[in-house]
């Protein structure tokens, strides 16, 4: 499971609401872990 801050969630909502598309997904990339 991945958790994000409330500020990050708000930013994602802003970006999604600015798009006029139906279903959208958030893709995460993790680099340099471990």
């Amino acid at each position: 499971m991945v958790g994000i801050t409330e500020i990050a969630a708000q930013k994602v909502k802003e970006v999604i609401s600015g798009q006029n598309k139906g279903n959208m997904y958030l893709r995460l990339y993790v680099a340099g872990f471990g």
Side-chain angles (χ1 to χ4, degrees):
M1 181 182 280
V2 175
I4 61 173
T5 65
E6 185 62 34
I7 294 171
Q10 289 173 0
K11 187 62 177 176
V12 170
K13 289 177 186 177
E14 286 177 22
V15 171
I16 290 173
S17 68
Q19 304 291 322
N20 291 328
K21 298 181 181 179
N23 295 328
M24 295 186 71
Y25 299 92
L26 176 64
R27 182 181 295 178
L28 299 176
Y29 175 76
V30 178
F33 188 80

